[in-house]
Amino acid sequence: MRTSPSIAPNGVEKDIYLVLEDFGRLGRAWRETDEDATDRETLILNLLSGEYKNPVRIVAFNTAERWSRDVTVAIADELRRRYVEYDEVPEAVLEFLEATQRR
C-alpha cells in the first residue's frame, strides 16, 4: 500500500506555530511559513513587524510530543506585555488584541 508523505517535519522536536489569516472576500487560510520561522519568538516578531495583515487564530503543535492547541489568547497576552517596548504597533496587531479581549 502506498502512503503519502507526512506534512510534519521529520525528526524536529520543537513547537510549531502557525497563523490563520483572514483575506476578506478570498476567505481564510493558514499562512505558508518557512520552517525556520515557526517558533514562538519569530512569530511574535513577525506579528509586530506587520508580516500578517489580519491574523485571526494561532495554533501551536508538536508532533514529537503529540499535542496541538489554540494559543491565540496566549500570544495576544504576550503581545500586550511587549506592546510598551515598541514605538509603533501595526494596526493589524491592535485589531488582533481587541478581538482576543472578547474571547
Side-chain angles (χ1 to χ4, degrees):
M1 183 165 112
R2 192 169 182 198
T3 61
S4 36
S6 172
I7 63 168
N10 289 330
V12 176
E13 295 185 21
K14 69 175 193 170
D15 298 350
I16 306 292
Y17 290 80
L18 297 176
V19 175
L20 179 65
E21 187 148 18
D22 187 343
F23 293 99
R25 290 181 9 167
L26 296 174
R28 293 178 174 189
W30 295 102
R31 285 284 301 267
E32 186 174 326
T33 305
D34 183 86
E35 182 179 358
D36 293 333
T38 59
D39 62 282
R40 183 183 180 102
E41 184 62 24
T42 302
L43 167 77
I44 290 169
L45 293 175
N46 285 343
L47 283 162
L48 289 169
S49 71
E51 177 74 25
Y52 301 101
K53 301 302 179 208
N54 194 8
V56 292
R57 181 172 307 265
I58 301 170
V59 297
F61 64 91
N62 185 313
T63 55
E65 296 176 4
R66 299 181 181 263
W67 61 262
S68 65
R69 64 183 58 102
D70 182 334
V71 294
T72 306
V73 173
I75 295 297
D77 289 344
E78 180 67 24
L79 289 168
R80 283 185 193 91
R81 281 191 287 280
R82 295 186 187 199
Y83 183 86
V84 295
E85 298 173 16
Y86 290 83
D87 293 330
E88 292 183 36
V89 176
E91 185 66 30
V93 170
L94 297 175
E95 290 171 5
F96 176 72
L97 295 176
E98 185 176 315
T100 58
Q101 280 186 322
R102 291 182 248 141
R103 287 187 177 189

